[in-house]
Amino acid sequence: MITVQTPNFLLDGRKQHYINGRWQAPIKNEYITTYNPANGEALTQLARGSDADIDIAVQAARKAFEGDWRKYSPADRHALLMSVRQVIEQNLDELRLLETLDMGAPFARTERMRDHLLRMISFFATQTANCRGETIPNSLPGNFSTMTIRAPIGVVGGIIPWNAPIAGQWWVIGVVLATGCTAVLKPAEDASLSVLRTVELLTSAGVPDGVINAVTGLGNEAGAALAKHPHVNKIAFTGSPATGREIIRASAGSIKPVTLELGGKSPDIVFADADLDRAVPGVSMGVFNNSGQVCYAGTRVFVQSAIQKEFVARISEFCKTLKVGDPLDRSVQLGPLTSKRQLDRVLEYIEIGKSEGATLSAGGKRLGGDYSNGFYIEPTVFSDVNNNMRIAREEIFGPVMSIIPFDTAEEVVGLANDTNFGLGGAVWTRDVRTAMKLVHEIRAGQVWVNCYGMVDPSVGFGGYKESGFGWKGGTQHVDSFLYQKAVTINHD
Ligand code: NAI
Ligand code: MG
């Protein structure tokens, strides 16, 4: 195991909430422990946020929203976002280290994410000029002109998941700064550090106090208090469908709009004519990236019967080439799962797969030896899976692939769409007719052809069915943080 010097950010031994541009102790003075999943050791203490802490943070965000922040022009917000981009870029290695220690992201993975993360901030900088309405010809009797104005929606509650907060938080922070909203973030209890450090850095980049605040703590305490707070105008949530349902219920009290991104069980479809030299690593990393803790992971792998045997053999071989281990080791591709809870969940699903009669073709075990205190699982492949098995229907969120055979394009469309989810989907083929048929018929927020998992912030992504609603990235994302008013002017 590689040892590193404790980052300065962790030297104080515990982290408070970040509200109104400074660290603030929790009202109840309670803390929770957060762990390093690479070795199971306690990393630091996080403030355990209560209703009272959320209320203070929401008041700070409300005050900032009503204050000088309103006077920032689109050009001012653009300049601010470019300054933020620079500060984040300068401090990215520290943020990456915190992310690795906190949630186990391999250092190599966050190195690859560097450009994506900075592009997200650049994209949101371009959107400051996009907060605009329209002039619309009307059919009113008389002499009227009409237009629409779009204004920032107000205080946003951003509930952030633990699987990649270093980047994922920007789907909230970026759009909030672009549109002139303010926010209270509630990072996940298992991975709050990259969010806390980012929010602190925003102050040094010139973001006014109170514009972006962070309250840590448990989902059913701080998270629930944020979701139901009457002075929060919108909730942006990413996480599980179960919590997504709670968010909808909590938002009903004050009728606040929500956007929900809730994961999936995405189909990745390989036809016999596919270029297997590309499909084998592409399909594998579509599942094993971030140890499978990715919302759009392509975990249901449909393989045409003619190449079934060859494909399973090649995927199993490929798994042996993947290095699982210490996420600080730059040659490691799969780090630990983020928490003991997630480890137990994934191990349970592996047992479920075996008992359902699927064939375990690769992996399936927790790492022992030097790694036995960490939460590591080998890349795992089940073949001979049936689409009705639980391992084909439920989101596992771990390095577990289910390979399901099919014969025809008609058949695989039916199987691919036979799911409660609709986040991603992919097709591997050399035949453009097959590709386009699947592009049109897969019911999901995004479909990839001969690749997997590319997301561009200017295009964005979103879900369908139980994968949620609302779009992240693109102009629709910006619009959903603005409210629209129609203006009618009588010229007589
Ligand atoms: P979760 O949905 O409970 O956690 C996500 C966030 O919601 C965390 O910040 C948590 O503190 C917060 N939260 C929890 N309960 C809340 C409540 N009642 N009100 C407001 N906020 C609340 O997910 P969990 O339990 O950590 O993971 C379970 C499964 O969820 C995973 O195995 C995975 O399948 C899925 N998941 C999907 C994600 C995605 O990217 N779509 C991200 C995280 C989890
Ligand atoms: Mg942790």
Side-chain angles (χ1 to χ4, degrees):
M1 290 294 222
I2 294 171
T3 48
V4 286
Q5 223 184 334
T6 306
N8 286 342
F9 189 67
L10 298 181
L11 287 177
D12 44 9
R14 65 186 196 185
K15 303 311 304 179
Q16 300 178 328
H17 304 309
Y18 195 79
I19 301 173
N20 218 5
R22 61 190 177 86
W23 297 104
Q24 298 198 24
I27 294 292
K28 289 188 180 164
N29 205 31
E30 288 176 354
Y31 289 80
I32 53 177
T33 304
T34 189
Y35 296 88
N36 179 347
N39 54 24
E41 286 168 15
L43 193 57
T44 190
Q45 305 276 311
L46 297 173
R48 179 173 174 172
S50 63
D51 287 26
D53 299 319
I54 287 290
D55 195 48
I56 291 167
V58 171
Q59 281 181 39
R62 171 64 50 197
K63 191 155 168 264
F65 182 68
E66 306 295 352
D68 286 348
W69 180 231
R70 289 181 84 104
K71 299 186 194 134
Y72 275 59
S73 68
D76 295 336
R77 296 199 303 274
H78 179 271
L80 180 64
L81 270 154
M82 293 317 283
S83 147
V84 164
R85 185 189 189 280
Q86 194 178 15
V87 169
I88 295 300
E89 185 171 18
Q90 283 160 355
N91 292 278
L92 205 47
D93 286 338
E94 182 199 351
L95 290 166
R96 289 172 57 214
L97 178 59
L98 290 171
E99 184 91 334
T100 297
L101 296 174
D102 202 12
M103 61 70 62
F107 226 54
R109 170 176 152 82
T110 52
E111 176 64 41
R112 285 197 311 274
M113 278 163 64
R114 185 185 285 273
D115 288 344
H116 169 69
L117 195 158
L118 296 174
R119 257 203 313 274
M120 282 172 87
I121 306 176
S122 302
F123 165 71
F124 286 114
T126 68
Q127 294 306 300
T128 55
N130 244 341
C131 307
R132 61 187 174 197
E134 294 166 305
T135 307
I136 304 170
N138 65 71
S139 306
L140 299 170
N143 191 10
F144 298 95
S145 62
T146 47
M147 62 181 177
T148 58
I149 291 174
R150 285 206 169 98
I153 200 164
V155 177
V156 174
I159 300 175
I160 318 284
W162 42 261
N163 53 335
I166 190 174
Q169 62 183 326
W170 287 99
W171 294 123
V172 183
I173 298 173
V175 70
V176 162
L177 294 180
T179 53
C181 293
T182 61
V184 176
L185 307 181
K186 210 302 281 174
E189 44 273 50
D190 292 317
S192 292
L193 298 178
S194 62
V195 177
L196 289 175
R197 179 66 178 133
T198 295
V199 173
E200 183 183 38
L201 286 169
L202 294 179
T203 300
S204 61
V207 173
D209 293 350
V211 170
I212 307 281
N213 310 276
V215 172
T216 51
L218 303 177
N220 59 5
E221 295 177 0
L226 184 59
K228 69 167 195 266
H229 198 290
H231 296 144
V232 170
N233 300 96
K234 177 191 170 79
I235 294 290
F237 173 78
T238 302
S240 65
T243 303
R245 288 187 184 89
E246 290 296 324
I247 301 288
I248 294 176
R249 281 188 206 103
S251 68
S254 51
I255 319 277
K256 56 171 80 72
V258 298
T259 50
L260 303 174
E261 199 260 278
L262 306 177
K265 197 75 198 177
S266 299
D268 199 353
I269 303 167
V270 187
F271 282 86
D273 70 344
D275 178 351
L276 292 191
D277 289 342
R278 289 173 182 233
V280 167
V283 167
S284 299
M285 295 321 289
V287 178
F288 301 132
N289 199 5
N290 209 28
S291 296
Q293 302 168 119
V294 175
C295 50
Y296 49 72
T299 46
R300 283 188 303 147
V301 178
F302 293 97
V303 179
Q304 208 162 19
S305 298
I307 55 162
Q308 185 75 208
K309 229 172 132 187
E310 179 190 357
F311 191 83
V312 172
R314 287 184 65 169
I315 287 269
S316 306
E317 274 309 304
F318 184 81
C319 285
K320 289 185 198 145
T321 70
L322 292 172
K323 190 163 172 188
V324 189
D326 185 352
L328 288 169
D329 175 345
R330 283 160 204 265
S331 65
V332 155
Q333 286 140 307
L334 277 78
L337 293 165
T338 294
S339 61
K340 176 72 169 52
R341 190 167 60 109
Q342 199 59 24
L343 172 82
D344 291 342
R345 176 187 166 101
V346 176
L347 288 172
E348 191 184 330
Y349 272 108
I350 291 173
E351 290 312 309
I352 290 170
K354 289 184 202 162
S355 68
E356 285 180 309
T359 306
L360 183 64
S361 298
K365 287 194 297 294
R366 180 177 180 181
L367 259 53
D370 287 351
Y371 297 108
S372 52
N373 292 327
F375 311 143
Y376 301 88
I377 294 186
E378 296 171 328
T380 298
V381 177
F382 280 109
S383 55
D384 304 317
V385 177
N386 172 314
N387 197 46
N388 295 321
M389 292 179 182
R390 283 183 64 193
I391 56 165
R393 303 207 75 81
E394 298 171 19
E395 185 173 51
I396 299 174
F397 230 56
V400 183
M401 179 190 296
S402 295
I403 300 184
I404 305 170
F406 75 91
D407 290 311
T408 66
E410 301 316 328
E411 179 194 2
V412 80
V413 164
L415 290 167
N417 290 334
D418 178 11
T419 169
N420 292 342
F421 294 106
L423 193 56
V427 52
W428 300 80
T429 177
R430 287 186 166 103
D431 186 333
V432 73
R433 289 162 304 182
T434 310
M436 287 314 292
K437 177 181 170 65
L438 274 285
V439 161
H440 285 290
E441 296 197 9
I442 291 175
R443 298 204 179 110
Q446 38 274 308
V447 182
W448 292 283
V449 178
N450 294 331
C451 61
Y452 202 89
M454 349 288 292
V455 171
D456 186 306
S458 47
V459 179
F461 75 109
Y464 182 58
K465 299 200 283 188
E466 287 183 28
S467 293
F469 46 79
W471 199 254
K472 283 177 171 170
T475 53
Q476 297 96 323
H477 188 190
V478 174
D479 284 348
S480 71
F481 283 70
L482 302 167
Y483 77 95
Q484 177 161 279
K485 70 181 106 171
V487 181
T488 306
I489 301 164
N490 184 352
H491 294 281
D492 288 329

Coordinates of all heavy atoms in Angstrom, one line a residue, residues 68-106:
D68 N -26.1 41.3 -3.3 CA -25.3 41.9 -4.5 C -25.2 40.9 -5.6 O -25.0 41.3 -6.8 CB -23.9 42.3 -4.0 CG -24.0 43.6 -3.2 OD1 -25.0 44.2 -3.2 OD2 -22.9 43.9 -2.6
W69 N -25.3 39.6 -5.3 CA -25.2 38.6 -6.4 C -26.2 38.8 -7.5 O -25.9 38.5 -8.7 CB -25.5 37.2 -5.7 CG -25.4 36.0 -6.5 CD1 -26.4 35.0 -6.6 CD2 -24.4 35.5 -7.4 NE1 -26.0 34.0 -7.4 CE2 -24.8 34.3 -7.9 CE3 -23.1 36.1 -7.8 CZ2 -24.0 33.6 -8.8 CZ3 -22.4 35.3 -8.7 CH2 -22.8 34.1 -9.2
R70 N -27.3 39.4 -7.2 CA -28.3 39.7 -8.2 C -27.8 40.7 -9.2 O -28.3 40.8 -10.3 CB -29.6 40.4 -7.5 CG -30.4 39.5 -6.7 CD -31.5 40.3 -6.1 NE -32.6 40.4 -7.1 CZ -33.7 39.7 -7.1 NH1 -33.9 38.8 -6.1 NH2 -34.6 39.8 -8.0
K71 N -26.8 41.5 -8.8 CA -26.4 42.6 -9.7 C -25.3 42.0 -10.7 O -24.9 42.8 -11.6 CB -25.8 43.7 -8.9 CG -26.8 44.4 -8.0 CD -26.2 45.6 -7.3 CE -27.1 46.1 -6.1 NZ -26.3 46.3 -4.9
Y72 N -24.8 40.8 -10.5 CA -23.8 40.3 -11.4 C -24.5 40.1 -12.8 O -25.5 39.5 -12.9 CB -23.4 38.9 -10.9 CG -22.3 38.9 -9.9 CD1 -22.4 39.6 -8.7 CD2 -21.1 38.3 -10.1 CE1 -21.4 39.6 -7.7 CE2 -20.0 38.3 -9.2 CZ -20.2 39.0 -8.0 OH -19.2 39.0 -7.1
S73 N -23.8 40.7 -13.8 CA -24.3 40.6 -15.2 C -23.9 39.2 -15.7 O -23.0 38.6 -15.1 CB -23.7 41.7 -16.0 OG -22.3 41.5 -16.1
P74 N -24.4 38.8 -16.8 CA -23.9 37.5 -17.4 C -22.4 37.6 -17.6 O -21.7 36.6 -17.4 CB -24.6 37.5 -18.8 CG -25.9 38.2 -18.5 CD -25.6 39.3 -17.6
A75 N -21.8 38.8 -18.0 CA -20.4 38.9 -18.2 C -19.7 38.7 -16.9 O -18.6 38.1 -16.8 CB -20.1 40.2 -18.9
D76 N -20.2 39.3 -15.8 CA -19.6 39.1 -14.5 C -19.6 37.6 -14.1 O -18.6 37.2 -13.5 CB -20.4 39.9 -13.4 CG -20.4 41.4 -13.6 OD1 -19.5 41.9 -14.3 OD2 -21.3 42.1 -13.1
R77 N -20.7 37.0 -14.3 CA -20.7 35.5 -13.9 C -19.8 34.7 -14.8 O -19.2 33.7 -14.4 CB -22.2 35.0 -14.0 CG -23.1 35.7 -13.0 CD -24.4 34.9 -12.7 NE -25.2 34.6 -13.9 CZ -26.1 35.4 -14.4 NH1 -26.3 36.6 -13.9 NH2 -26.7 35.1 -15.5
H78 N -19.7 35.1 -16.1 CA -18.7 34.4 -16.9 C -17.3 34.6 -16.4 O -16.6 33.6 -16.3 CB -18.8 34.9 -18.4 CG -17.9 34.3 -19.3 ND1 -16.6 34.8 -19.5 CD2 -18.0 33.2 -20.1 CE1 -16.0 34.0 -20.4 NE2 -16.8 33.0 -20.7
A79 N -17.0 35.8 -16.1 CA -15.6 36.1 -15.6 C -15.4 35.3 -14.3 O -14.3 34.7 -14.0 CB -15.4 37.6 -15.3
L80 N -16.4 35.3 -13.4 CA -16.3 34.5 -12.2 C -16.0 33.0 -12.4 O -15.2 32.4 -11.8 CB -17.5 34.7 -11.3 CG -17.6 34.0 -10.0 CD1 -16.5 34.6 -9.0 CD2 -18.9 34.2 -9.3
L81 N -16.8 32.5 -13.3 CA -16.7 31.0 -13.6 C -15.3 30.7 -14.2 O -14.7 29.7 -13.9 CB -17.8 30.5 -14.6 CG -19.0 30.0 -13.8 CD1 -20.3 30.2 -14.7 CD2 -18.8 28.6 -13.4
M82 N -14.7 31.6 -15.0 CA -13.4 31.4 -15.5 C -12.3 31.5 -14.4 O -11.4 30.8 -14.5 CB -13.1 32.4 -16.7 CG -14.0 32.1 -17.9 SD -14.2 30.4 -18.4 CE -12.6 30.0 -19.2
S83 N -12.6 32.4 -13.5 CA -11.7 32.4 -12.3 C -11.8 31.2 -11.5 O -10.8 30.6 -11.0 CB -12.0 33.7 -11.5 OG -11.7 33.5 -10.2
V84 N -13.0 30.7 -11.3 CA -13.3 29.4 -10.6 C -12.5 28.3 -11.3 O -11.9 27.5 -10.7 CB -14.8 29.1 -10.5 CG1 -15.0 27.7 -10.1 CG2 -15.5 30.1 -9.5
R85 N -12.6 28.3 -12.6 CA -12.0 27.2 -13.4 C -10.5 27.2 -13.1 O -9.9 26.1 -12.9 CB -12.3 27.4 -14.9 CG -11.7 26.3 -15.8 CD -11.9 26.7 -17.2 NE -11.6 25.6 -18.2 CZ -10.4 25.2 -18.5 NH1 -9.3 25.7 -17.9 NH2 -10.2 24.2 -19.3
Q86 N -9.9 28.4 -13.1 CA -8.5 28.5 -12.9 C -8.1 28.0 -11.5 O -7.1 27.2 -11.3 CB -8.0 29.9 -13.0 CG -6.5 30.1 -13.2 CD -6.2 31.5 -13.4 OE1 -7.0 32.4 -13.2 NE2 -4.9 31.7 -13.8
V87 N -8.9 28.4 -10.5 CA -8.5 27.9 -9.1 C -8.7 26.4 -9.0 O -7.9 25.7 -8.3 CB -9.4 28.7 -8.1 CG1 -9.3 28.1 -6.7 CG2 -9.0 30.2 -8.1
I88 N -9.7 25.9 -9.6 CA -10.0 24.4 -9.5 C -8.8 23.7 -10.2 O -8.3 22.7 -9.7 CB -11.3 24.0 -10.1 CG1 -12.5 24.6 -9.3 CG2 -11.5 22.5 -10.2 CD1 -12.5 24.2 -7.8
E89 N -8.4 24.2 -11.3 CA -7.3 23.6 -12.1 C -6.0 23.6 -11.2 O -5.3 22.6 -11.2 CB -7.1 24.3 -13.4 CG -6.0 23.6 -14.3 CD -6.0 24.1 -15.7 OE1 -6.4 25.3 -15.9 OE2 -5.4 23.4 -16.5
Q90 N -5.8 24.7 -10.6 CA -4.5 24.8 -9.8 C -4.6 23.8 -8.6 O -3.5 23.4 -8.1 CB -4.4 26.2 -9.2 CG -3.9 27.2 -10.3 CD -4.2 28.7 -9.9 OE1 -4.9 28.9 -9.0 NE2 -3.7 29.6 -10.7
N91 N -5.8 23.5 -8.1 CA -5.9 22.7 -6.9 C -6.4 21.3 -7.2 O -6.8 20.6 -6.2 CB -6.8 23.4 -5.9 CG -6.2 24.7 -5.3 OD1 -5.3 24.6 -4.4 ND2 -6.5 25.8 -5.9
L92 N -6.4 20.9 -8.4 CA -7.1 19.7 -8.8 C -6.4 18.5 -8.2 O -7.0 17.5 -7.8 CB -7.1 19.5 -10.3 CG -8.2 18.7 -10.9 CD1 -9.6 18.9 -10.2 CD2 -8.4 18.8 -12.4
D93 N -5.0 18.5 -8.1 CA -4.3 17.3 -7.6 C -4.7 17.1 -6.1 O -4.9 16.0 -5.7 CB -2.8 17.5 -7.7 CG -2.4 17.3 -9.2 OD1 -3.2 16.6 -9.9 OD2 -1.3 17.7 -9.6
E94 N -4.9 18.2 -5.4 CA -5.3 18.0 -4.0 C -6.7 17.5 -3.9 O -7.0 16.6 -3.1 CB -5.3 19.4 -3.2 CG -5.6 19.3 -1.8 CD -6.1 20.6 -1.2 OE1 -5.9 21.7 -1.8 OE2 -6.6 20.6 0.0
L95 N -7.6 18.0 -4.8 CA -9.0 17.5 -4.8 C -9.0 16.0 -5.2 O -9.8 15.2 -4.6 CB -9.8 18.3 -5.8 CG -10.1 19.7 -5.4 CD1 -10.7 20.5 -6.6 CD2 -11.1 19.8 -4.2
R96 N -8.1 15.6 -6.1 CA -8.1 14.2 -6.5 C -7.6 13.3 -5.4 O -8.1 12.2 -5.2 CB -7.2 14.1 -7.7 CG -7.7 14.7 -9.0 CD -6.7 14.7 -10.1 NE -6.2 13.3 -10.3 CZ -5.0 13.1 -10.7 NH1 -4.1 14.0 -10.9 NH2 -4.6 11.8 -10.9
L97 N -6.6 13.8 -4.6 CA -6.1 13.0 -3.5 C -7.2 12.8 -2.4 O -7.4 11.7 -1.9 CB -4.9 13.7 -2.9 CG -4.3 13.0 -1.7 CD1 -3.9 11.6 -2.0 CD2 -3.1 13.8 -1.1
L98 N -7.9 13.9 -2.2 CA -9.0 13.8 -1.2 C -10.1 12.8 -1.7 O -10.6 12.0 -0.9 CB -9.7 15.2 -1.0 CG -8.8 16.2 -0.2 CD1 -9.5 17.6 -0.2 CD2 -8.6 15.8 1.3
E99 N -10.4 12.9 -3.0 CA -11.4 12.0 -3.5 C -11.0 10.5 -3.4 O -11.7 9.7 -3.0 CB -11.6 12.3 -5.0 CG -12.7 11.5 -5.7 CD -14.1 12.2 -5.6 OE1 -14.3 13.0 -4.7 OE2 -14.9 12.0 -6.5
T100 N -9.7 10.3 -3.7 CA -9.2 8.9 -3.6 C -9.2 8.4 -2.2 O -9.6 7.3 -1.9 CB -7.7 8.9 -4.2 OG1 -7.8 9.2 -5.5 CG2 -7.1 7.5 -4.0
L101 N -8.7 9.2 -1.2 CA -8.7 8.8 0.2 C -10.1 8.6 0.7 O -10.4 7.7 1.5 CB -8.0 9.9 1.0 CG -6.5 10.1 0.8 CD1 -6.0 11.3 1.6 CD2 -5.7 8.9 1.1
D102 N -11.1 9.4 0.2 CA -12.4 9.4 0.7 C -13.3 8.4 0.1 O -14.1 7.7 0.9 CB -13.0 10.8 0.5 CG -14.2 11.2 1.4 OD1 -14.4 10.5 2.4 OD2 -14.9 12.2 1.1
M103 N -13.3 8.2 -1.2 CA -14.2 7.2 -1.8 C -13.5 6.2 -2.7 O -14.2 5.4 -3.3 CB -15.4 7.9 -2.5 CG -15.1 8.9 -3.6 SD -14.5 8.1 -5.2 CE -15.9 7.0 -5.6
G104 N -12.2 6.2 -2.8 CA -11.5 5.1 -3.4 C -11.3 5.3 -4.9 O -11.0 4.3 -5.6
A105 N -11.6 6.5 -5.5 CA -11.4 6.6 -7.0 C -10.0 6.4 -7.3 O -9.1 7.0 -6.8 CB -11.9 8.0 -7.4
P106 N -9.7 5.5 -8.3 CA -8.3 5.3 -8.7 C -7.7 6.6 -9.2 O -8.4 7.4 -9.9 CB -8.4 4.3 -9.8 CG -9.7 3.6 -9.6 CD -10.6 4.6 -9.0

